[in-house]
Amino acid sequence: MPHIDYFFATLSPFAYIAGTRLEEIAGRHCATITYRPLDIGALTARTGGTPLPERHESRKAYRLQELRRQAQAAGLPINLQPAHWPTNGAPSAYAIIAAQSAGSGDLGALVHGLLAASWADEKDIADDAVIRNCLSAAGFDPDLADKGLMAGAIAYEDNLEEAVNRGVFGSPFYITDDDERFWGQDRLADLDAHLAARG
């Protein structure tokens, strides 16, 4: 059975634009997914990237156009200047880690719900009430927002270390169990084709 390690940041607009396509692809190929939320700022710093505020204005302008086009192609609403971005991504990541450990709900729906809260719904995903609502909507116990915080912090840091060690440098980033790497939601079709070729 194929497996996909999914490295992403809950602050990432491109992870939001991926929608639930990863889960659809995994379903088609009977693949499992491990969700590995991480600190995108720390990842950028450790892998030679340039933080968004430090990029040239032409790169910033192109990013906004690309976000608009990619969201439109995916059929997803997007606010290019969300009211609560950037914010602290750790609390939402901890909730995902706790939910993955607990099971019983729809983890893909939780991840997409948190991303949509930021990029479409003008909500602060560092806010406990927002996180609890997303957990509940995805079929998880909302109290997971307050449980396993130490374990979540450790896993969050471990995800960053694993990402750096395995060649991850952006979000979203997908790595299969045969070490094929796909960066960006615009590479999901390539991931789909790779899994199909494995049969």
Side-chain angles (χ1 to χ4, degrees):
M1 177 181 292
H3 183 77
I4 304 160
D5 279 314
Y6 176 27
F7 295 90
F8 66 99
T10 57
L11 301 178
S12 169
F14 292 102
Y16 163 62
I17 293 170
T20 57
R21 284 178 283 165
L22 173 62
E23 291 76 17
E24 293 161 11
I25 290 167
R28 276 197 295 278
H29 303 290
C30 299
T32 54
I33 304 168
T34 298
Y35 294 81
R36 299 189 181 278
L38 48 73
D39 181 339
I40 191 63
L43 180 68
T44 298
R46 291 183 58 182
T47 57
T50 303
L52 182 60
E54 298 175 19
R55 294 178 195 166
H56 190 274
E57 291 304 316
S58 61
R59 291 179 178 269
K60 293 178 185 178
Y62 183 82
R63 172 182 171 275
L64 292 177
Q65 288 193 356
E66 186 69 352
L67 285 172
R68 174 180 48 78
R69 289 191 294 258
Q70 292 283 328
Q72 185 175 21
L76 293 170
I78 191 168
N79 183 342
L80 297 177
Q81 305 287 345
H84 302 284
W85 187 93
T87 190
N88 182 3
S92 55
Y94 296 174
I96 291 167
I97 291 164
Q100 184 162 234
S101 179
S104 78
D106 185 336
L107 206 55
L110 173 60
V111 170
H112 185 65
L114 286 163
L115 289 160
S118 177
W119 289 98
D121 301 332
E122 294 287 19
K123 295 178 181 174
D124 184 357
I125 59 168
D127 184 279
D128 188 63
V130 172
I131 294 170
R132 293 173 70 87
N133 286 340
C134 288
L135 282 162
S136 182
F140 291 100
D141 178 356
D143 288 341
L144 287 172
D146 306 315
K147 293 179 180 175
L149 297 181
M150 182 63 72
I154 293 169
Y156 192 53
E157 183 62 31
D158 287 348
N159 287 344
L160 174 62
E161 294 302 319
E162 182 166 353
V164 172
N165 291 335
R166 293 177 67 187
V168 174
F169 49 83
S171 170
F173 208 104
Y174 315 94
I175 304 181
T176 61
D177 54 309
D178 57 347
D179 199 36
E180 286 294 312
R181 304 169 197 179
F182 304 87
W183 173 40
Q185 85 295 337
D186 53 345
R187 294 295 180 267
L188 281 166
D190 296 335
L191 171 61
D192 193 9
H194 174 70
L195 293 175
R198 288 177 59 177

